[in-house]
Amino acid sequence: MDRIAIPGPEGSWVIPEGQEEAAARRLAAFERAYQRLADRQEELAGRMEALKAQGKQKTVQFRELFGEKLTIQQLLQLWETCGVL
């Protein structure tokens, strides 16, 4: 990935002249991705709760949902660790 934001002094970031629109597009794409992941986390939690209520925690479906939930959780945690969130 080509970087748009360039590290500046004292922890700041600089967007080179002429790259403002590209930086805004990339930020918007990240925000859309984050929202999709957050929405999916909520959806997964609801589906898993429904399966739990039916006593189906050991089913393949539940385990697949659980695996996806953990993957998304790990990605969001990485973003948080990197200071993105």
Side-chain angles (χ1 to χ4, degrees), residues 36-68:
R36 286 182 68 183
L37 289 172
D39 292 347
R40 182 68 176 155
Q41 278 292 75
E42 285 185 37
E43 179 187 341
L44 290 170
R47 290 177 63 189
M48 289 174 68
E49 281 301 316
L51 290 170
K52 274 185 194 178
Q54 298 170 21
K56 296 183 177 181
Q57 295 98 317
K58 297 194 182 227
T59 63
V60 171
Q61 182 183 17
F62 184 88
R63 290 173 190 224
E64 286 176 347
L65 295 174
F66 185 70
E68 185 179 352

Side-chain angles (χ1 to χ4, degrees), residues 41 68-79:
Q41 278 292 75
E68 185 179 352
K69 186 174 186 246
L70 286 178
T71 301
I72 293 171
Q73 218 170 1
Q74 194 172 32
L75 179 57
L76 294 175
Q77 187 174 23
L78 172 67
W79 286 349

Side-chain angles (χ1 to χ4, degrees), residues 3-15:
R3 293 197 67 146
I4 295 174
I6 300 168
E10 300 178 27
S12 66
W13 294 91
V14 177
I15 306 297

